[in-house]
Amino acid sequence: MSEAIPSTHPALRHCVALLRLHLAAPSLAAAKQIHARALRAGVPTSHPLLAKHLLFHLAALRALPLRYAVAVLSRLLTRGPLDPFPLNTVLRIAAGSPRPRVALELHRRRLAPPDTHTYPPLLQACARLLALRDGECLHAEAAKNGFATLVFVQNSLVHLYGACGLFESAHKVFDEMPVRGRNLVSWNSMLNSFAANGRPNEVLTVFREMLGVNFAPDGFTIVSVLTACAEIGALALGRRVHVYVEKVGLVDNSHVSNALIDLYAKCGSVNDARRIFEEMGLGRTVVSWTSLIVGLAANGFGKEALELFSLMEREKLVPTEITMVGVLYACSHCGLVDDGFRYFDRMKEDYGISPRIEHLGCMVDLLGRAGRVEEAYDYIITMPLEPNAVVWRTLLGSCAMHKKLGLGKVAWERLVELDPGHSGDYVLLSNLYAAVGMWADVHVLRKTMVKDRVRKNPGHSLVELRNSVYEFVMGDRSHPESEQIYEMLADIAERLRREGYIPRTSNVLADIEEEEKETALNYHSERLAIAFALLKSLPGIPIRIIKNLRMCGDCHVAIKLISKVYGREIIVRDRISAAGARVAPQEKAESATPIPTLSPPEGNMTFVDGVTWCVARPGVSQEDLQNALDWACGQGGADCTPLQPGGRCYQPDTLLSHASYAFNIFYQQNGNSDIACNFGGAGTIIKRNPSFGSCKFLASETSAASALNRRSMWMIFAAASMLFLHLRVFQSV
């Protein structure tokens, strides 16, 4: 029995020494041999010292043997009360194994009292399972037992909440940690929480704080920062971080190199992405190949992406599920329907990858892009997995593009069941109705959106110039140099007209006059950003724009002409992909018309977040103002009583003042959308309160106002020199 064998027993000490010796290069075979040697020498598995070192050795393995570890733990249970150390070690093994739920099940049995090392592996298991409720219970339990203030418990909590999408809760835990009590894991966990949840501005802010307390970043830090740079298109900052990476010797870190490939690809700098890939040499992983394949496909280099995949196959590398998504995406962008189905079949037959809903959705997108919408519908009906909302949304986008009203209504009905209230679905159906001329249905649908409080993400475009990132929204006049910007827009429009450009007014999904449609197209946010960049950047410098929504077909064509006329390389990345408009572009015909993919376009109808007002636009003719005022106070239903003689808003008795008050009443009553402030181009949205004296203008605030306030405080800075670059955000006023 173990009680009869003291800790000084020669055979026991010899086996423990061997287990320690093999920790430098642990292996399951060595652990089993040493275990067998101990048993033959009469040392049972239930001996605490042997079990402790054996479990510690098993926890160091790359492939964690959970069943073996649980068997060792069960032998210890025969001795009576269990020490926390072996249980904590098994919890760590379980948390990192393919069956993390075993850790939670063991904890529920209360086999040993918890100590300082009990909660981190349990919280890790919850993070892997996305078991938020269990994690919150463990958080409360740790606080009750006095362990919630330990740095490694707090680090695990930050990771858990970030993994479950609660980055605010993660930041709250992080803020409760003393600044000097944080370690590198604390900072990296917080950075990763923000990066994984699409909060690039917060990543850069936390990185600034990290540098302020003299914490040297490691590879994981750099990956989060590069991810943030890629999200906001801060290529100049990303290049500075790249310089810093080379300076401190992190360039050989494959994770960092993969993040650099992703950065350059998302910012449209494909040659730099290729260069990083080539410089990795033998250090390239499947992730490296996948990153470049997806990057090439997203930038319109579909054939090059497929060639790279063929080269990857010749290197005898096995593609992952994500690699195949990139390959199918490339086929979709190139219009290679037959090749797409061939790769889909090979994915199953050659690599044993079972199709997931993402792959099936790519096939629907492939058919939809090619105009084979009926086949796409048949494919959905017969697919082996239950189609989700994204798949039906892809079909609805294809129907809107190819004017398939019947199938579009079928897709809409399924979306109402699966994901009711999604703003993009309303806009897609509105696009479809508008495309077939059903303007009455467009009006009814938009009224329904307002009634049901369905709000769409506001559209904006970002452009980086001289270490600052500028933001523009449609019709934006908030920039201090807006007069020069609009003069440049007028110059662009005139030069495009001389080149034979005819606006595609079908992209304006509103029942307004043709001239008004042309004006609306000219004021899209990406064109404002391009006009500003042309004014402020040196000739020959590429212009990179990031738009958060899908770019319309007219802007796609117009930007290519702007590139030609002004001799500038222009790269626009929208919410679906990166599309390059270049001088003498070598593009395929099908790339001229953007087609919805797994995340379909949402158009340019914007619901403006934050506290906003709608007023009359200065410079509009008196006749247009009078017509718009009459409509607002009449058919529009605005209460214009305060504008009557003696009313609180009668003075000043000017058409501009009266129209502003009436426009704002209609705007506030109809959901704060940009359409509700159109008035044939006579209205404009501002963010300064126009109230004066006793005349108070109605105002309301949307739920996303706090997000816009945070965005206005973005700060970015150069990692190489450790200097800060302020992100100046100009929004509509």
Side-chain angles (χ1 to χ4, degrees):
M1 299 296 292
S2 60
E3 290 81 355
I5 299 178
S7 299
T8 56
H9 189 281
L12 176 60
R13 294 180 61 187
H14 181 64
C15 291
V16 168
L18 287 174
L19 287 168
R20 287 177 173 174
L21 180 65
H22 282 81
L23 272 178
S27 73
L28 182 59
K32 288 183 175 181
Q33 288 177 354
I34 298 169
H35 189 186
R37 185 184 185 94
L39 293 176
R40 289 184 62 186
V43 181
T45 305
S46 59
H47 195 287
L49 189 60
L50 176 64
K52 169 186 173 180
H53 286 278
L54 181 58
L55 289 171
F56 196 69
H57 186 99
L58 297 179
L61 296 173
R62 184 178 297 274
L64 299 171
L66 178 58
R67 181 173 296 181
Y68 189 5
V70 171
V72 173
L73 183 69
S74 63
R75 294 300 181 91
L76 278 175
L77 291 173
T78 61
R79 299 182 62 254
L82 191 64
D83 184 75
F85 180 86
L87 177 59
N88 292 342
T89 306
V90 175
L91 292 178
R92 183 151 60 97
I93 293 171
S97 74
R99 299 175 59 201
R101 190 165 295 280
V102 172
L104 302 180
E105 294 170 355
L106 287 172
H107 180 66
R108 292 190 187 100
R109 294 174 61 185
R110 308 296 178 184
L111 301 174
D115 66 2
T116 56
H117 293 84
T118 300
Y119 293 102
L122 292 170
L123 293 169
Q124 179 191 351
C126 291
R128 292 189 60 200
L129 293 166
L130 300 180
L132 177 60
R133 179 60 180 166
D134 289 326
E136 290 174 333
C137 291
L138 288 169
H139 187 178
E141 182 183 319
K144 179 181 178 181
N145 292 330
F147 298 125
T149 57
L150 299 176
V151 64
F152 30 88
V153 175
Q154 290 175 315
N155 292 345
S156 300
L157 286 168
V158 171
H159 174 64
L160 165 70
Y161 288 127
C164 293
L166 299 181
F167 55 86
E168 298 98 336
S169 298
H171 193 246
K172 182 178 180 181
V173 174
F174 181 77
D175 271 346
E176 291 172 352
M177 302 170 65
V179 175
R180 296 190 176 276
R182 299 169 184 163
N183 56 25
L184 186 58
V185 176
S186 311
W187 291 100
N188 285 345
S189 297
M190 192 65 254
L191 288 168
N192 184 67
S193 294
F194 280 137
N197 286 283
R199 312 298 295 187
N201 51 321
E202 284 86 349
V203 171
L204 298 173
T205 301
V206 172
F207 185 45
R208 179 200 64 187
E209 296 173 2
M210 177 182 177
L211 299 177
V213 294
N214 297 321
F215 259 102
D218 64 358
F220 295 105
T221 315
I222 297 300
V223 168
S224 295
V225 174
L226 289 173
T227 301
C229 293
E231 286 299 311
I232 63 173
L235 180 60
L237 173 59
R239 292 191 191 280
R240 290 179 173 84
V241 176
H242 188 181
V243 171
Y244 174 79
V245 164
E246 293 180 335
K247 179 180 177 181
V248 299
L250 289 172
V251 71
D252 294 329
N253 186 311
S254 63
H255 299 294
V256 172
S257 295
N258 294 338
L260 283 169
I261 293 173
D262 181 63
L263 165 74
Y264 288 126
K266 285 184 175 179
C267 291
S269 188
V270 177
N271 289 335
D272 286 320
R274 285 180 180 272
R275 179 173 56 82
I276 298 298
F277 179 79
E278 296 296 335
E279 290 175 354
M280 291 181 70
L282 297 177
R284 292 192 289 254
T285 64
V286 174
V287 177
S288 312
W289 290 85
T290 300
S291 299
L292 188 56
I293 288 171
V294 173
L296 288 170
N299 280 278
F301 298 100
K303 286 192 174 180
E304 290 83 351
L306 297 178
E307 290 171 0
L308 186 64
F309 178 68
S310 298
L311 181 60
M312 176 183 174
E313 290 184 305
R314 288 197 293 272
E315 294 283 339
K316 305 299 183 184
L317 291 171
V318 179
T320 65
E321 296 171 342
I322 300 175
T323 311
M324 296 311 301
V325 169
V327 170
L328 297 175
Y329 184 75
C331 292
S332 180
H333 273 255
C334 291
L336 303 174
V337 178
D338 294 336
D339 286 338
F341 276 92
R342 181 169 57 84
Y343 282 117
F344 184 81
D345 293 337
R346 289 188 54 205
M347 177 182 74
K348 297 180 290 183
E349 297 167 1
D350 296 351
Y351 300 112
I353 299 176
S354 298
R356 298 179 59 178
I357 195 65
E358 293 84 358
H359 303 109
L360 298 171
C362 282
M363 303 309 292
V364 174
D365 176 56
L366 177 67
L367 293 167
R369 278 180 176 269
R372 295 157 65 170
V373 183
E374 291 80 4
E375 292 181 53
Y377 174 73
D378 293 339
Y379 191 87
I380 293 174
I381 298 301
T382 58
M383 67 170 49
L385 299 178
E386 182 69 23
N388 60 12
V390 176
V391 173
W392 287 107
R393 195 167 294 130
T394 302
L395 179 66
L396 180 56
S398 299
C399 292
M401 185 60 63
H402 298 287
K403 303 180 182 180
K404 302 291 185 180
L405 183 61
L407 287 179
K409 289 184 176 180
V410 173
W412 166 258
E413 291 171 358
R414 295 293 294 130
L415 285 167
V416 170
E417 297 175 9
L418 295 171
D419 190 10
H422 190 283
S423 62
D425 301 337
Y426 282 86
V427 177
L428 279 175
L429 185 61
S430 175
N431 293 358
L432 176 56
Y433 284 153
V436 297
M438 298 172 59
W439 293 108
D441 294 273
V442 172
H443 182 71
V444 170
L445 189 63
R446 291 182 177 178
K447 282 284 188 181
T448 303
M449 291 181 70
V450 173
K451 177 183 176 183
D452 296 343
R453 298 183 179 275
V454 177
R455 297 191 181 275
K456 183 182 152 298
N457 292 330
H460 67 262
S461 293
L462 305 176
V463 59
E464 183 184 26
L465 291 172
R466 299 189 187 93
N467 297 336
S468 297
V469 176
Y470 299 83
E471 181 185 55
F472 295 89
V473 299
M474 182 178 178
D476 193 353
R477 291 185 179 270
S478 62
H479 195 281
E481 299 178 73
S482 61
E483 184 176 344
Q484 295 94 314
I485 293 172
Y486 277 84
E487 288 176 358
M488 174 58 75
L489 275 178
D491 179 71
I492 292 172
E494 176 59 26
R495 294 182 66 174
L496 291 187
R497 186 186 62 78
R498 290 200 297 265
E499 287 289 323
Y501 163 70
I502 299 175
R504 298 171 58 177
T505 54
S506 60
N507 289 120
V508 179
L509 304 176
D511 191 12
I512 55 179
E513 295 298 326
E514 200 72 13
E515 185 177 346
E516 295 174 6
K517 290 184 178 183
E518 293 183 12
T519 302
L521 287 171
N522 198 38
Y523 292 163
H524 279 183
S525 62
E526 56 267 46
R527 300 203 195 184
L528 289 169
I530 290 171
F532 177 69
L534 288 172
L535 279 173
K536 292 299 182 180
S537 61
L538 296 174
I541 299 297
I543 297 173
R544 290 179 169 84
I545 309 294
I546 290 185
K547 184 173 183 178
N548 67 328
L549 300 179
R550 186 56 156 150
M551 185 169 62
C552 73
D554 179 75
C555 286
H556 191 109
V557 173
I559 290 172
K560 286 195 288 187
L561 277 175
I562 294 171
S563 173
K564 175 185 175 183
V565 169
Y566 288 87
R568 299 288 286 272
E569 181 181 20
I570 303 176
I571 301 166
V572 182
R573 189 184 102 202
D574 61 16
R575 74 186 299 265
I576 307 300
S577 61
R582 297 176 171 84
V583 180
Q586 300 297 317
E587 295 184 331
K588 301 171 185 58
E590 69 269 16
S591 68
T593 303
I595 311 273
T597 59
L598 289 178
S599 298
E602 295 188 0
N604 280 294
M605 186 182 74
T606 302
F607 285 87
V608 183
D609 286 328
V611 181
T612 55
W613 294 263
C614 175
V615 297
R617 187 188 300 276
V620 176
S621 70
Q622 295 291 297
E623 182 181 0
D624 288 343
L625 275 182
Q626 187 64 62
N627 290 336
L629 174 60
D630 292 343
W631 185 91
C633 295
Q635 187 178 350
D639 181 9
C640 298
T641 304
L643 300 177
Q644 299 299 320
R648 66 177 185 275
C649 295
Y650 177 70
Q651 295 293 342
D653 183 13
T654 65
L655 193 55
L656 186 69
S657 175
H658 287 191
S660 294
Y661 182 84
F663 288 2
N664 186 66
I665 292 293
F666 180 83
Y667 171 72
Q668 301 296 342
Q669 292 175 346
N670 287 273
N672 304 74
S673 75
D674 59 348
I675 295 297
C677 188
N678 187 284
F679 296 102
T684 184
I685 297 171
I686 66 172
K687 291 192 175 181
R688 291 192 300 267
N689 192 340
S691 301
F692 58 91
S694 61
C695 184
K696 304 301 181 185
F697 278 58
L698 183 67
S700 61
E701 184 172 5
T702 69
S703 60
S706 59
L708 284 180
N709 290 336
R710 286 194 297 271
R711 185 162 64 212
S712 67
M713 300 176 65
W714 283 3
M715 298 184 69
I716 60 177
F717 42 87
S721 60
M722 303 305 170
L723 298 176
F724 304 132
L725 303 177
H726 293 278
L727 174 63
R728 295 190 294 224
V729 177
F730 294 98
Q731 296 174 323
S732 176
V733 298

